[in-house]
């Protein structure tokens, strides 16, 4: 690693001057300096293949390989936990190897940062309820972006910025851009997911000023030009400052027009950005281990983003343009409009219908998470299964506020993961006796299938209307996130169970046990 | 041609390094797609939090700053180093722990 220094020292110790030959000495010294400089250059290249470097590089590659193995084991719930541990070992290797690096001369700052960050991460990870997982993942995304941006800023000012190689300066600019967009975008996504209001304005609603998209494009364009400029003139500190400010604002203005219901897409996309931020840091440090690891995360986030968009039959651009749907604020009317009739039922009647069924499919949605009803739903499902009724769960890819949200909630409530099904369950719907919809709406709206004029037309749904009986547990007839009325509620084979999901299912369970 | 570029030193080094890194990046993205497409929807939340932990690999850069001594700007490596290590550690510790907590819940009856 330090061959260059060694060569430098050798070059200095060689001369053996006498005071009488000053002039000759000067030329000789100049020559030697030149030789030394050349030696330095050769050494700089030789050092890239130095023994220590080689093993450090190997260790980072092993870490990246362990990440790949870990992710591979996530392909089944049986092996997944073990996979996560393998990835953790990879991270440990990367950290230990870095700590052994001879450039690390002091451990005070490291220990302080590790204790504070580790404690925050540990407490958050242990305390967060499963319903709060989307918010937590959003914050973790942001923290990854922040780390990347801070590293890039420090790398920029660690020496004289003007002396930085062009490619390093360029990747530093990119790293600040991605890192800050990820940070502020994630913090806003977190606020939207929490349902935060500022001065009575619900952040979960799509918020945009006139011409915001043009402003975003303009700002992005300016940032890219500045990043390229930084590659040519690394000393342009003002460019770094402007990139930082614009990227900070862009995170907010890119996410603010997107409605609360589209958060699964945004959280997935920010997940991808947090990986790309790590990648950018890898480019700054010229470290393949970071580039590979970051790229894995980037790919993962992109795949999830794509799945979410497909599950809503919308393009990513359409989602990012925002303005789709309003966050529901308050409970609304349970009265049908326009002379449509709604059949209602109470818990006892619902229990009787369930008892008489041979097969039941439960479709959970965000409403179940809000009501924290997953445990009682799981208990009811278990009770029905013990009675010999075939119970399955139908989970739409965009149910909840992040990919896989419902699955985690039901796993928490001890539901066997083999009972959790995806859209493939649609082929069985006509044979199913009872569909019980709990806090879901748009994902069972037949307009998406039948009504070309509908805003959600084309979105894949569960064909629960083909089941023999449909029961919808919902607080009111309020339309869903998409703001669209659901014809399912008014069909002949549909009955509504109005009320809080947790309360209603608890009542049904009690009636089942008594009956 | 490539060797010539390399031999010209600092200015010529830029292209091969960037190109090499870009090659690694593209291949890793493709590998990522192949591996992650196979993750079932049931595990998508743990996938997100787990990959979040992996993106905490930025800790490598953070440690190199927090542990270094910057001539001229000692406060940069203290302040920025502390922040970088803290943020990266939140990702690493929080990500792996919460993923483990979730995956422990996925059981067969």
């Amino acid at each position: 690693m330090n061959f260059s220094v060694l060569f430098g020292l050798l070059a200095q110790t060689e001369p053996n001057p006498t005071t009488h030959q000053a002039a000759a000495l000067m030329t000789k010294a100049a020559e030697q300096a030149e030789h030394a400089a050349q030696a330095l250059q050769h050494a700089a290249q030789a050092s890239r293949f130095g023994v220590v470097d080689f093993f450090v590089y190997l260790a980072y590659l092993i870490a990246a390989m362990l990440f790949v193995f870990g992710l591979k084991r996530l392909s089944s719930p049986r092996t997944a936990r073990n996979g996560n541990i393998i990835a953790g070992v990879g991270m440990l290797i990367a950290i230990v190897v870095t700590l052994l690096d001879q450039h690390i001369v002091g451990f005070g700052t490291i220990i302080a940062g590790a204790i504070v960050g580790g404690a925050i991460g540990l407490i958050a990870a242990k305390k967060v309820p499963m319903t709060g997982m989307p918010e937590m993942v959003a914050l973790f995304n942001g923290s990854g972006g922040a780390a990347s941006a801070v590293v890039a800023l420090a790398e920029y000012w660690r020496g004289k910025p003007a002396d930085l190689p062009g490619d390093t300066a360029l990747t530093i600019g990119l790293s600040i851009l991605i890192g800050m967009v990820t940070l502020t975008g994630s913090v806003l996504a977190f606020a939207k997911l929490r349902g935060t209001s500022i001065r009575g304005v619900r952040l979960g609603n799509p918020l945009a000023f006139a011409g915001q998209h043009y402003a975003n494009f303009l700002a992005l364009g300016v940032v890219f030009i500045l990043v390229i400029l930084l590659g040519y003139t690394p000393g342009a500190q003002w460019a770094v400052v402007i990139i930082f400010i614009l990227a900070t604002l862009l995170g907010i203005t890119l996410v603010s027009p997107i409605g609360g219901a589209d958060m699964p897409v945004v959280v997935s996309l920010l997940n991808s950005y947090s990986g790309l931020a790590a990648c950018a840091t890898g480019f700054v440090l010229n470290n393949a281990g970071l580039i590979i690891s970051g790229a894995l995360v980037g790919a993962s986030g992109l795949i999830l983003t794509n799945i979410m968009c497909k599950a809503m039959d919308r393009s990513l651009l359409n989602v990012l343009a925002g303005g789709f749907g309003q966050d529901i604020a308050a409970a609304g009317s349970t009265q049908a409009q326009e002379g449509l009739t709604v059949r209602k039922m109470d818990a006892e009647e619902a229990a009787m219908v369930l008892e008489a069924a041979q097969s039941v499919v439960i479709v959970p949605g965000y409403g179940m998470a809000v009501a924290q009803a997953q445990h009682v739903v799981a208990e009811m499902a278990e009770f029905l299964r013990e009675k010999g009724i075939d119970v399955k769960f139908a989970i739409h890819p965009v149910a909840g506020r992040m990919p896989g949200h419902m699955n985690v909630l039901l796993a928490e409530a001890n539901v066997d993961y083999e009972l959790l099904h995806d859209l493939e369950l649609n082929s069985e719907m006509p044979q199913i006796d009872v569909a019980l919809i709990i806090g879901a709406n748009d994902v069972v709206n037949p307009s998406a299938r039948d009504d070309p004029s509908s805003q959600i037309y084309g979105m894949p749904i569960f064909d629960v209307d083909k089941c023999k009986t449909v029961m919808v547990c919902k607080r009111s007839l309020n339309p869903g996130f998409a703001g669209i009325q659901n014809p399912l509620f008014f069909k002949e084979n549909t009955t509504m169970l109005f009320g809080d999901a947790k309360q209603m299912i608890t009542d049904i369970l009690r009636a089942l046990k008594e009956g | 041609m490539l060797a010539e570029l390399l031999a010209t030193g600092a200015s010529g080094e830029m292209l091969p390094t960037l190109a090499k890194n870009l090659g690694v990046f593209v291949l890793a993205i493709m590998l990522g797609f192949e591996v992650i497409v196979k993750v079932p929807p049931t595990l998508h939340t743990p996938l997100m939090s787990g990959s979040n932990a992996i993106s905490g690999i930025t800790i490598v850069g953070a440690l190199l700053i927090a542990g270094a001594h910057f001539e001229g700007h000692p406060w940069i490596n203290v302040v920025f180093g502390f922040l970088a290590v803290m943020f990266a550690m939140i990702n690493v510790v929080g990500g792996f722990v919460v993923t483990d907590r979730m995956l422990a819940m996925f059981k067969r009856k």
Side-chain angles (χ1 to χ4, degrees):
Chain A
M1 169 118 27
N2 276 344
F3 284 8
S4 47
V5 180
L6 203 68
F7 272 75
L9 283 173
L10 282 175
Q12 275 175 17
T13 48
E14 240 178 77
N16 197 2
T18 55
T19 41
H20 306 291
Q21 299 164 309
L25 195 74
M26 292 275 272
T27 27
K28 211 180 165 194
E31 269 174 28
Q32 275 175 353
E34 210 168 30
H35 281 300
Q38 275 175 7
L40 268 169
Q41 247 176 34
H42 286 290
Q45 286 181 15
S47 75
R48 280 209 255 139
F49 306 102
V51 178
V52 179
D53 263 348
F54 179 74
F55 281 106
V56 168
Y57 190 82
L58 212 62
Y60 286 136
L61 280 187
I62 289 171
M65 270 168 61
L66 291 177
F67 293 155
V68 175
F69 282 130
L71 288 171
K72 249 181 104 90
R73 307 218 83 187
L74 272 183
S75 58
S76 158
R78 270 184 303 112
T79 54
R81 198 173 177 196
N82 173 262
N84 185 50
I85 292 168
I86 291 178
V89 171
M91 187 61 75
L92 194 67
I93 291 176
I95 291 176
V96 169
V97 164
T98 312
L99 288 177
L100 295 176
D101 190 295
Q102 55 194 308
H103 294 296
I104 293 190
V105 290
F107 288 91
T109 315
I110 291 178
I111 291 169
I115 288 177
V116 174
I120 294 174
L122 192 66
I123 292 169
K126 290 270 184 198
K127 295 273 177 205
V128 64
M130 289 301 140
T131 42
M133 208 47 81
E135 289 95 314
M136 168 128 153
V137 168
L139 274 193
F140 280 1
N141 284 337
S143 132
S148 164
V150 174
V151 168
L153 288 170
E155 285 292 330
Y156 186 71
W157 275 299
R158 76 181 298 161
K160 276 177 79 180
D163 295 342
L164 280 170
D167 58 340
T168 306
L170 186 115
T171 49
I172 282 176
L174 272 181
S175 205
I176 296 171
L177 168 66
I178 304 172
M180 288 315 291
V181 167
T182 311
L183 172 62
T184 55
S186 297
V187 170
L188 181 57
F190 167 79
K192 278 176 180 273
L193 287 164
R194 288 213 84 179
T196 311
S197 301
I198 293 179
R199 289 188 200 157
V201 178
R202 288 177 67 82
L203 294 180
N205 288 334
L207 301 172
F209 55 82
Q212 183 162 330
H213 295 313
Y214 298 106
N216 284 345
F217 273 117
L218 191 70
L220 259 181
V222 169
V223 170
F224 276 121
I225 290 169
L226 288 179
V227 167
I228 292 167
L229 181 127
L230 207 55
Y232 282 104
T233 51
Q237 304 191 25
W238 56 271
V240 173
V241 174
I242 295 178
I243 291 171
F244 180 86
I245 294 170
L246 283 180
T248 305
L249 293 174
L250 266 170
I252 295 165
T253 54
L254 284 171
V255 172
S256 77
I258 305 171
D262 285 341
M263 280 302 124
V265 181
V266 176
V267 175
S268 308
L269 196 64
L270 288 168
N271 189 233
S272 175
Y273 287 174
S274 78
L276 295 179
C279 250
T281 309
F283 276 97
V284 172
L285 301 176
N286 193 14
N287 183 323
L290 263 75
I291 296 176
I292 297 172
S293 317
L296 292 174
V297 181
S300 160
L302 280 180
I303 288 176
L304 293 175
T305 308
N306 189 32
I307 292 173
M308 294 298 109
C309 286
K310 272 198 183 143
M312 298 194 295
D313 191 43
R314 287 164 62 200
S315 70
L316 181 57
L317 265 182
N318 179 288
V319 174
L320 293 185
F324 197 84
Q326 298 277 320
D327 212 9
I328 38 170
S333 145
T334 56
Q335 297 296 311
Q337 298 153 350
E338 300 154 28
L340 289 164
T341 49
V342 170
R343 275 152 292 275
K344 296 179 206 172
M345 240 186 211
D346 61 18
E348 279 79 24
E349 292 169 291
M352 276 156 61
V353 174
L354 285 171
E355 249 173 344
Q358 290 192 330
S359 52
V360 174
V361 60
I362 298 173
V363 187
Y366 186 58
M368 183 185 81
V370 173
Q372 302 267 8
Q374 65 271 26
H375 294 281
V376 62
V377 168
E379 205 185 323
M380 182 189 71
E382 191 54 35
F383 185 86
L384 291 173
R385 278 169 59 77
E386 275 167 14
K387 289 212 155 195
I389 299 167
D390 178 29
V391 181
K392 285 180 178 138
F393 288 87
I395 298 171
H396 197 276
V398 291
R401 288 299 174 90
M402 76 182 292
H405 191 188
M406 290 298 123
N407 307 68
V408 169
L409 290 182
L410 291 169
E412 183 198 16
N414 269 320
V415 174
D416 184 344
Y417 59 77
E418 296 280 336
L419 300 180
L420 311 180
H421 294 271
D422 201 347
L423 284 161
E424 89 272 347
L425 202 64
N426 265 340
S427 57
E428 296 177 26
M429 286 297 176
Q431 283 90 50
I432 289 172
D433 293 328
V434 178
L436 176 59
I437 291 125
I438 305 170
N441 189 350
D442 294 333
V443 298
V444 291
N445 189 336
S447 302
R449 187 187 61 218
D450 305 329
D451 178 8
S453 68
S454 170
Q455 207 184 349
I456 56 168
Y457 181 69
M459 169 173 161
I461 56 154
F462 284 117
D463 299 327
V464 289
D465 53 329
K466 292 182 179 161
C467 298
K468 291 175 187 115
T469 308
V470 183
M471 296 198 288
V472 181
C473 180
K474 206 172 174 305
R475 277 219 273 228
S476 69
L477 280 177
N478 257 9
F481 293 124
I484 301 156
Q485 192 56 268
N486 192 340
L488 178 73
F489 303 159
F490 311 106
K491 291 217 164 184
E492 277 169 22
N493 57 344
T494 304
T495 46
M496 303 297 295
L497 311 171
F498 286 120
D500 173 72
K502 190 175 182 179
Q503 191 57 48
M504 178 57 75
I505 304 298
T506 309
D507 291 346
I508 292 176
L509 184 61
R510 191 186 310 122
L512 280 170
K513 283 179 176 167
E514 282 167 4
Chain B
M1 191 64 188
L2 213 66
E4 249 177 315
L5 265 174
L6 264 170
T8 53
S11 60
E13 253 174 57
M14 168 174 165
L15 208 56
T17 307
L18 203 59
K20 185 198 79 184
N21 286 341
L22 272 175
V24 170
F25 173 69
V26 171
L27 287 178
I29 287 260
M30 293 174 77
L31 173 70
F33 269 104
E34 290 304 315
V35 172
I36 287 147
V37 153
K38 298 196 177 77
V39 178
T42 292
L43 293 180
H44 277 169
T45 297
L47 169 66
M48 290 189 91
S49 62
S51 63
N52 227 313
I54 293 176
S55 74
I57 189 75
T58 316
I59 188 99
V60 168
L63 293 174
L64 288 174
I65 286 162
H69 177 72
F70 291 5
E71 285 154 43
H73 313 285
W75 61 272
I76 284 192
N77 60 331
V78 173
V79 176
F80 284 42
F82 174 81
L83 287 176
V85 172
M86 185 190 79
F87 282 127
M89 273 304 266
I90 291 177
N91 257 17
V92 171
V93 175
F96 282 120
V97 171
V98 84
T99 307
D100 187 66
R101 205 182 126 200
M102 270 190 275
L103 290 174
M105 299 185 315
F106 282 87
K107 286 188 283 265
R108 287 233 53 193
K109 286 263 170 73

